[in-house]
Amino acid sequence: MEAADQQDLSLKLFVVLSRAVQTITKRVEEDIKKYGLNPTEFAVLELLFNKGDQPIQKIGEKILLASSSITYVVDKLEKKQLLARKPCPEDRRVTYAVITPEGKQLMASIFPHHKAAIEEIFGGLDAEEKELMITQLKKLGFYAKGL
Amino acid sequence: MEAADQQDLSLKLFVVLSRAVQTITKRVEEDIKKYGLNPTEFAVLELLFNKGDQPIQKIGEKILLASSSITYVVDKLEKKQLLARKPCPEDRRVTYAVITPEGKQLMASIFPHHKAAIEEIFGGLDAEEKELMITQLKKLGFYAKGL
DNA sequence: ATATAATATCTCGATTTCGAGATTTATTGT
DNA sequence: ACAATAAATCTCGAAATCGAGATATTATAT
């Protein structure tokens, strides 16, 4: 194949990928908004809910957010009483974000609906197609990351 | 397959998809930043460069940006002399965004590098795999949009 | 013909995110 | 032990985006 055609194919994939993700993300955000949270707040709570308490620093790494942004989101969730800050005794530079009982309760009531919503949004593909896409996306992401 | 497993699979696909796109987007944005533009500015200029002059309204539809945000971006590009506003004589509600010679020159010098950068970023898949992924993503996006 | 609807753009205030740099604490090298 | 370096968090100002609503113009329905 010509090099120019290859480039056009990659460009097209990039466009289609961006479009699909924008559409899907919009749907997911609509779903999350129903629960009174924005996507970032939800991501933080989901992390704490499913993976346990985290140093504030780690949250930023996991959900790819700048440290200053994390401070902002954690402040908001703290005001909403959905999480609390807890100083780390071993390393006094570190502060843990700890999900509160209210936060747990909220997530426990939200998460099943959230999963069902995503299942619906991804209904365009069957199980086998999803498996394959996961494999291919991992390959793609892995390669892009290593550049 | 159990319904719960299906949900887990969709959730996993959502996570992998989001991650891959975040990684890829970050690479592409790094590339664009080199040219002194942010992703939105680039998207607007690319649209005008490749598809010709557009009513401001249309730009928002194409790149999925709120009208107030379009005004902001067009203002910035106008200040940079990369585009100009031109009133539409037939419909006086409409203002066209018109790429300037400087804008064209910039895009002409940027676009080949941009395409090459994307080709490199998507190097993890061969042509056949890209074709398939395009097909599947379209299916996914089409379905999600129709919900 | 005229009132009503719709459309295109813009303004304004609020939200979210970022980057640079400050502060505090821990680790490392000498 | 001490200085230099690294790490975690926060503050601050700027940038980008949004939604609600204002304004001007066009289209529609009576």
Side-chain angles (χ1 to χ4, degrees):
Chain A
M1 196 183 311
E2 295 284 333
D5 296 343
Q6 271 289 1
Q7 286 191 356
D8 288 340
L9 187 57
S10 294
L11 197 55
K12 184 169 180 187
L13 175 51
F14 179 57
V15 170
V16 173
L17 183 59
S18 303
R19 284 274 155 77
V21 168
Q22 259 181 322
T23 304
I24 289 164
T25 302
K26 208 175 142 208
R27 292 280 167 206
V28 174
E29 286 179 8
E30 280 168 14
D31 177 59
I32 289 171
K33 201 181 291 178
K34 288 188 211 152
Y35 316 134
L37 298 171
N38 73 27
T40 308
E41 292 171 331
F42 185 84
V44 171
L45 279 187
E46 184 182 349
L47 179 66
L48 300 184
F49 185 67
N50 289 317
K51 302 282 169 68
D53 307 342
Q54 304 279 332
I56 283 180
Q57 165 74 4
K58 286 285 167 215
I59 300 176
E61 287 167 22
K62 293 271 177 68
I63 68 176
L64 300 187
L65 213 56
S67 68
S68 49
S69 308
I70 291 290
T71 299
Y72 173 77
V73 182
V74 168
D75 279 352
K76 278 194 359 180
L77 289 171
E78 203 172 21
K79 268 175 207 137
K80 291 185 184 179
Q81 319 244 20
L82 298 174
L83 66 72
R85 281 181 166 89
K86 198 185 80 175
C88 169
E90 290 86 33
D91 186 338
R92 292 171 52 201
R93 292 171 303 184
V94 174
T95 303
Y96 283 100
V98 179
I99 189 167
T100 62
E102 293 96 314
K104 268 183 198 157
Q105 205 179 333
L106 177 66
M107 286 306 287
S109 73
I110 280 177
F111 207 63
H113 297 106
H114 175 66
K115 276 176 82 165
I118 287 188
E119 170 68 8
E120 203 188 340
I121 291 165
F122 281 85
L125 300 184
D126 65 27
E128 201 181 331
E129 291 173 314
K130 287 176 194 166
E131 300 269 20
L132 178 57
M133 186 167 276
I134 288 171
T135 306
Q136 298 298 80
L137 283 168
K138 277 184 180 171
K139 213 195 282 188
L140 204 48
F142 186 76
Y143 184 88
K145 203 163 195 170
L147 283 181
Chain B
M1 196 183 310
E2 294 286 333
D5 295 344
Q6 272 288 3
Q7 286 191 356
D8 287 341
L9 188 57
S10 294
L11 197 56
K12 184 169 179 186
L13 175 51
F14 179 57
V15 170
V16 172
L17 183 58
S18 304
R19 284 273 156 78
V21 168
Q22 259 181 324
T23 304
I24 289 164
T25 302
K26 208 174 140 207
R27 291 282 168 205
V28 174
E29 287 180 6
E30 280 168 13
D31 176 59
I32 289 171
K33 201 180 293 177
K34 287 187 212 153
Y35 316 133
L37 298 171
N38 73 26
T40 307
E41 294 171 330
F42 185 84
V44 171
L45 279 188
E46 182 182 352
L47 180 65
L48 301 184
F49 184 67
N50 289 317
K51 301 282 167 68
D53 306 343
Q54 305 279 330
I56 282 180
Q57 166 73 5
K58 286 285 167 214
I59 299 175
E61 288 168 21
K62 293 271 178 65
I63 69 175
L64 299 187
L65 212 56
S67 68
S68 49
S69 307
I70 290 292
T71 299
Y72 173 76
V73 181
V74 169
D75 279 352
K76 279 194 356 179
L77 289 171
E78 205 173 20
K79 268 174 206 137
K80 290 185 184 179
Q81 321 243 20
L82 298 174
L83 66 73
R85 281 181 166 88
K86 197 185 80 175
C88 170
E90 291 85 35
D91 186 338
R92 292 170 52 200
R93 292 171 302 184
V94 173
T95 303
Y96 284 99
V98 178
I99 190 166
T100 61
E102 292 96 314
K104 267 183 199 157
Q105 205 179 332
L106 177 66
M107 286 306 286
S109 74
I110 280 177
F111 208 63
H113 297 107
H114 175 64
K115 276 176 82 165
I118 287 189
E119 170 68 9
E120 202 188 343
I121 291 166
F122 282 85
L125 302 183
D126 64 29
E128 200 182 333
E129 290 173 315
K130 286 176 195 167
E131 301 268 21
L132 178 58
M133 185 168 275
I134 288 171
T135 305
Q136 299 298 79
L137 283 169
K138 278 185 178 169
K139 211 194 286 189
L140 203 48
F142 186 77
Y143 184 88
K145 203 164 194 170
L147 281 182

